[in-house]
Amino acid sequence: MSNPQRRKGTAAEAAVVAHLRNWWPEAERRVLHGSTDKGDVILPRDIDLTIEIKNQRTYNFPAWFKQMQIEQANANTTRGLLVVKPNGIGVSQVGSWWAVMPLDQAIELLDETR
């Protein structure tokens, strides 16, 4: 893999999957599907969520969020989560990375815990 951006992305995806495996041992990186990509992570079937992971020096939340929504539609899930590696926070601190989702989806998740 000679593309530095792709290497960064792969490292970020692997770090997130390793972290998620603390709760869901079945979590794994998803194979790319081109224009019908379905997100970066596969979780157990009962978790209705698409996860898109970004590791870039310059933040582009609007474009990333739109990409996550497209992939969510491709995956036919009702919720999407954008995970972003903040500058200066390494893969050993993946639990401190940012998780962004639409407010109504977050409210739905919180409501389900009641």
Side-chain angles (χ1 to χ4, degrees):
M1 186 183 314
S2 62
N3 182 328
Q5 268 308 109
R6 183 161 292 185
R7 278 196 305 271
K8 281 177 54 176
T10 298
E13 291 169 12
V16 170
V17 167
H19 190 69
L20 291 171
R21 284 184 177 159
N22 291 314
W23 292 270
W24 302 284
E26 312 86 355
E28 62 185 66
R29 288 184 59 230
R30 188 182 289 277
V31 176
L32 294 174
H33 288 92
S35 64
T36 60
D37 199 12
K38 297 178 180 182
D40 294 324
V41 178
I42 298 173
L43 292 172
R45 292 184 189 269
D46 62 331
I47 300 176
D48 186 26
L49 181 70
T50 296
I51 300 176
E52 178 63 21
I53 302 164
K54 294 296 180 186
N55 178 8
Q56 296 179 12
R57 183 176 304 274
T58 303
Y59 305 128
N60 190 350
F61 280 91
W64 296 343
F65 204 80
K66 183 175 182 172
Q67 179 185 1
M68 183 267 303
Q69 290 176 313
I70 291 168
E71 292 175 1
Q72 178 187 338
N74 291 342
N76 196 30
T77 61
T78 58
R79 295 184 183 111
L81 182 68
L82 175 63
V83 177
V84 178
K85 180 196 167 297
N87 295 329
I89 306 293
V91 294
S92 66
Q93 297 172 298
V94 69
S96 296
W97 292 9
W98 301 329
V100 182
M101 69 188 325
L103 179 59
D104 283 346
Q105 291 180 21
I107 290 169
E108 289 170 5
L109 281 174
L110 292 169
D111 191 47
E112 288 175 7
T113 65
R114 289 198 290 168

